[in-house]
Amino acid sequence: MAEGLRERKKRQTRQYISDVATGLFLERGFEAVTVAEVADAANVSVNTVYNYFPAKEDLFLDRSKGVIDRLSRWVRGRSAGESAARAVLRELREEVETVSPRVGLMDGYAQFMTVIQESPALRSRMWAIGQEVLLDLERTLREETGGTEDDMTPALMAGQINWLHGTVLAAIGQRMVAGGKPSQVSRDILVLLDEMEELLSEKVLNYAVRGAR
């Protein structure tokens, strides 16, 4: 369906407010900038900011919704004969190998991560996002395998698979903050992914294999 004029204007306004806020946070730090200052810089009211972003943290982490269901999307999109864990490993390797900004392999990411590290509120929100990713993946694995509510296997497997994703993102963030270049960090993380795969048991690597369609 084509995007209407009203929807496009709302999307553009939301993006503009987010961009203005991000610029201020990167320049001065998250805690030092108020929502009122963001509204003033974006030439909108404080109420307008809150209409688009329920909490101040949402202004900086405005793309978190795309992260929450990322693992579930990868698992649902796995090929015939491919397990959930191997699908996530394949997708992660592809993101890292192509030096994708979606996993933080881009110039400027170090500054972004520094703002998060210096803000207790943002660190707390990042933890909460991580929990949402984990629970979303557990639900997906339960659906994909027909697991019952009292079956702990989907939860245990989600924890193992989520560990891959979380560890890779954390390692990328640490290396970028330490001054790493995206291309070099990419090479380092590919080695790390091989090491992580070796640590997974065969039970994890062969869980939720998709049958032929």
Side-chain angles (χ1 to χ4, degrees):
M1 182 185 297
E3 182 181 42
L5 178 61
R6 186 168 181 269
E7 288 72 22
R8 183 166 68 251
K9 284 186 174 181
K10 288 177 66 175
R11 176 176 55 79
Q12 291 171 341
T13 298
R14 187 183 192 283
Q15 188 61 56
Y16 178 67
I17 294 170
S18 173
D19 290 345
V20 169
T22 298
L24 290 172
F25 295 145
L26 291 175
E27 179 184 349
R28 295 165 48 194
F30 183 77
E31 311 295 343
V33 178
T34 66
V35 173
E37 288 174 317
V38 171
D40 185 62
N43 198 29
V44 297
S45 69
V46 170
N47 283 341
T48 297
V49 174
Y50 280 120
N51 283 340
Y52 286 99
F53 302 94
K56 181 183 172 184
E57 292 83 357
D58 298 322
L59 284 161
F60 194 66
L61 300 172
D62 63 314
R63 293 177 176 84
S64 63
K65 287 185 179 179
V67 174
I68 289 170
D69 68 344
R70 177 189 283 169
L71 294 182
S72 289
R73 284 187 278 112
W74 288 351
V75 168
R76 290 195 183 99
R78 69 196 185 282
S79 304
E82 188 174 46
S83 71
R86 292 194 188 281
V88 169
L89 281 164
R90 173 177 53 76
E91 293 280 2
L92 279 172
R93 283 195 176 95
E94 185 175 315
E95 295 281 4
V96 173
E97 196 167 8
T98 57
V99 195
S100 172
R102 288 188 295 268
V103 290
L105 292 169
M106 60 181 178
D107 293 329
Y109 192 65
Q111 191 178 8
F112 177 84
M113 286 304 300
T114 298
V115 172
I116 293 174
Q117 290 176 357
E118 293 176 349
S119 167
L122 288 177
R123 292 200 306 272
S124 177
R125 174 57 68 87
M126 289 292 286
W127 179 86
I129 290 171
Q131 293 304 296
E132 289 186 68
V133 172
L134 178 60
L135 291 174
D136 187 75
L137 177 60
E138 179 188 339
R139 284 193 295 269
T140 296
L141 291 176
R142 201 174 294 279
E143 291 169 3
E144 292 288 307
T145 61
T148 60
E149 287 300 321
D150 59 351
D151 180 7
M152 287 299 296
T153 304
L156 295 173
M157 294 297 178
Q160 294 287 297
I161 295 170
N162 185 57
W163 166 72
L164 292 168
H165 183 250
T167 301
V168 164
L169 293 187
I172 289 173
Q174 290 167 0
R175 284 165 171 76
M176 294 297 288
V177 169
K181 299 298 181 185
S183 58
Q184 179 58 55
V185 173
S186 169
R187 291 190 289 271
D188 293 343
I189 299 301
L190 286 173
V191 174
L192 176 64
L193 273 165
D194 289 341
E195 295 173 349
M196 293 170 72
E197 182 173 2
E198 291 178 2
L199 293 175
L200 293 176
S201 71
E202 287 300 311
K203 188 171 184 179
V204 175
L205 290 171
N206 293 308
Y207 177 74
V209 174
R210 167 154 285 161
R213 296 185 178 183

